[in-house]
Amino acid sequence: MKVSADKTEILEKLIQWYKDSQKRQYITLGGYAGTGKTTLISIFRSAIENINPGARVGFISYTGKATRVLQNKLCNSKVISSGDSISTIHSLIYSPIINNKKEIVGWERKEKIDRDLLIIDESSMINKEIWKDLISYGIPILAAGDHGQLPPIEGKFNLMEKPDLTLTKIHRQVKGNPIIRVAQIARETGKIPVTQFGENVIKMDRTSWETQEKFNQLLEEYDDNTIILCGYNNTRVRINSQIRQFLGYDTPYPEPGDRVICLRNNHMKKIYNGMLGQIVRIEPYDDDWYFAKIDMEDGFPFEDLIAREQFNEPRAINFSKKRKEFMKGDLFDFGYAMTVHKAQGSQAKRVILIEERFKRMDEESWKRWLYTGVTRAEEELFISGDNPGLKQERSFD
């Protein structure tokens, strides 16, 4: 593979770090959308084979969706060796705890993993707890991610806050990609103009009736290849209700087939805030709880109690005075629409993004919010928001 001039210096630094990794266990690589992080990682993997023939590399990512995207890119580059693996972080470093009924009741960190190097994608999502588990093995780690995105959902830990190495130049092959163009505008200015950037990449003026009609049409066309993103939880709850009506659910209660999102970390069960799943089975347990089986997006099943009250509730119980009353089970809500903060690591063919800015959000935070939302889109992007410079007259909320 050819190495572009802007990547040559960074590649040399990565190789030097790998040779000296006994002195420093990990290195961070930041890169904006379209700068070729995965391309560089592929070239780096090829270089490792010359330095350490037969090295076993573990390519990992936070979510199942991100892992599948990474796998497709790496397989296309044909750099994966027979001893390498591509998986979620969860499946690589945790083992299930199984009871006498052969049910998974928890997860525990493996004492040892059979890898010589870990390369993490979407590292901006990693929280302190998972990072602590990863470095505990003493294995060299290259943590790559988009340093323009929002930090992890909870806590102050941010692995990508100041990357050791950064890619900022947009790769020439994707310069004409309208989503990359919109992402660059969002990151640099925070003001996306109302216009059509491509066939299915459009910023719509939320004050027009045409936008409302198009927005309702998009909701009616919702499928598993769609993510709807917003800022406010009230908006999220309202859209979830609309989508469920379009899909034929005639009650406000969760049912088999519903897409759901986890709203609280449970390190024992290895489910995390923002993780998506689909209900396989659900039944009443008592007045406060359901017993549910959920297929999580990383491929692992969840089977336990989930709180009834959390569904269709804008505020997470985990951040309310009721938190202690709801500790014997877990917190989920419908996951058809989600806030941008919880969408990190997720991607979809079609993204519908509703611009909603909190009053306390400064310019830098807003740019990161908008950029993170835009870069969840793979092919189609529909944004509803204000026309920069024009006074807002009416909104969907």
Side-chain angles (χ1 to χ4, degrees):
M1 268 183 273
K2 279 189 175 183
V3 184
S4 58
D6 63 307
K7 293 182 178 65
T8 301
E9 183 180 353
I10 292 178
L11 178 61
E12 290 173 353
K13 289 180 178 179
L14 285 174
I15 292 171
Q16 189 58 50
W17 161 78
Y18 181 68
K19 290 178 177 178
D20 298 335
S21 57
Q22 287 185 338
K23 298 178 182 177
R24 185 182 178 192
Q25 184 184 354
Y26 69 90
I27 191 167
T28 53
L29 170 66
Y32 297 134
T35 56
K37 290 189 301 297
T38 309
T39 300
L40 183 60
I41 287 171
S42 298
I43 298 168
F44 176 55
R45 175 62 188 95
S46 296
I48 289 171
E49 195 61 30
N50 296 324
I51 302 168
N52 184 11
R56 297 158 300 179
V57 179
F59 293 92
I60 51 178
S61 195
Y62 187 86
T63 67
K65 176 67 174 177
T67 302
R68 288 191 291 274
V69 172
L70 176 64
Q71 182 172 17
N72 290 337
K73 291 179 179 178
L74 291 173
C75 289
N76 288 337
S77 67
K78 299 179 180 179
V79 298
I80 303 300
S81 295
S82 58
D84 293 347
S85 62
I86 308 171
S87 66
T88 61
I89 297 171
H90 187 147
S91 62
L92 180 69
I93 69 173
Y94 300 115
S95 296
I97 301 170
I98 301 175
N99 64 14
N100 294 332
K101 298 179 181 179
K102 296 184 178 181
E103 298 169 331
I104 297 175
V105 294
W107 298 84
E108 59 185 356
R109 187 180 67 82
K110 297 175 183 176
E111 290 188 12
K112 185 179 179 180
I113 55 174
D114 192 24
R115 300 292 94 189
D116 301 305
L117 169 68
L118 298 180
I119 297 180
I120 312 170
D121 192 32
E122 295 283 1
S123 295
S124 58
M125 292 188 66
I126 295 175
N127 60 33
K128 189 175 183 179
E129 184 84 15
I130 293 176
W131 180 244
K132 183 179 176 181
D133 285 346
L134 284 166
I135 63 174
S136 69
Y137 294 104
I139 298 171
I141 300 174
L142 165 58
D146 190 332
H147 57 299
Q149 290 186 27
L150 291 164
I153 297 171
E154 71 288 316
K156 296 182 179 180
F157 180 79
N158 185 359
L159 190 58
M160 286 290 111
E161 185 174 11
K162 293 181 180 178
D164 300 307
L165 306 171
T166 57
L167 291 168
T168 57
K169 186 178 179 181
I170 303 298
H171 208 279
R172 61 183 177 82
Q173 282 94 332
V174 297
K175 268 192 173 180
N177 184 313
I179 294 175
I180 297 297
R181 182 185 171 196
V182 175
Q184 191 171 5
I185 293 170
R187 177 170 50 80
E188 293 177 357
T189 72
K191 297 178 181 178
I192 301 171
V194 170
T195 190
Q196 183 158 350
F197 294 89
E199 183 179 356
N200 288 303
V201 180
I202 307 168
K203 165 71 179 286
M204 304 176 290
D205 183 351
R206 77 165 85 217
T207 63
S208 75
W209 290 111
E210 291 85 356
T211 296
Q212 293 190 25
E213 290 176 0
K214 178 63 175 178
F215 186 77
N216 287 331
Q217 177 192 335
L218 290 169
L219 293 187
E220 289 187 36
E221 294 173 351
Y222 177 90
D223 60 22
D224 290 340
N225 295 312
T226 303
I227 291 178
I228 303 168
L229 303 177
C230 57
Y232 302 138
N233 280 308
N234 284 330
T235 306
R236 175 183 61 81
V237 170
R238 176 174 56 79
I239 293 177
N240 277 332
S241 178
Q242 285 182 264
I243 294 295
R244 294 189 74 247
Q245 288 178 22
F246 289 138
L247 292 176
Y249 294 103
D250 55 7
T251 76
Y253 311 114
E255 299 180 32
D258 265 316
R259 178 192 277 188
V260 291
I261 185 169
C262 176
L263 298 182
R264 180 166 66 192
N265 293 339
N266 187 325
H267 300 294
M268 181 66 175
K269 297 173 188 172
K270 298 305 168 190
I271 57 172
Y272 298 98
N273 198 348
M275 189 177 281
L276 291 169
Q278 186 175 37
I279 295 176
V280 176
R281 180 167 58 88
I282 188 166
E283 56 194 42
Y285 180 79
D286 60 25
D287 290 344
D288 295 321
W289 300 94
Y290 295 112
F291 186 86
K293 181 178 180 181
I294 302 171
D295 279 346
M296 303 305 296
E297 63 181 347
D298 61 2
F300 289 94
F302 166 90
E303 195 165 1
D304 212 332
L305 300 179
I306 60 175
R308 284 173 172 251
E309 190 173 323
Q310 185 62 77
F311 284 89
N312 294 310
E313 174 59 41
R315 183 173 173 80
I317 292 173
N318 199 43
F319 298 101
S320 71
K321 294 179 181 179
K322 295 183 177 181
R323 184 176 187 273
K324 291 183 179 179
E325 301 174 27
F326 287 86
M327 295 304 293
K328 75 174 184 179
D330 295 285
L331 304 180
F332 284 82
D333 196 357
F334 298 115
Y336 302 101
M338 67 187 83
T339 62
V340 168
H341 280 85
K342 285 186 169 58
Q344 298 171 71
S346 295
Q347 283 187 300
K349 177 182 176 181
R350 170 182 286 182
V351 166
I352 303 166
L353 175 62
I354 304 168
E355 289 186 349
E356 292 182 324
R357 180 172 178 173
F358 301 105
K359 290 182 179 179
R360 65 179 182 276
M361 192 178 277
D362 60 27
E363 284 299 317
E364 180 61 25
S365 297
W366 169 247
K367 289 177 184 177
R368 286 182 179 274
W369 185 96
L370 196 56
Y371 174 77
T372 302
V374 167
T375 52
R376 301 310 88 206
E378 295 173 344
E379 298 179 20
E380 301 178 12
L381 174 65
F382 298 91
I383 306 171
S384 171
D386 299 330
N387 200 354
L390 297 180
K391 185 178 180 181
Q392 180 179 339
E393 296 175 4
R394 181 175 66 250
S395 73
F396 293 133
D397 295 301

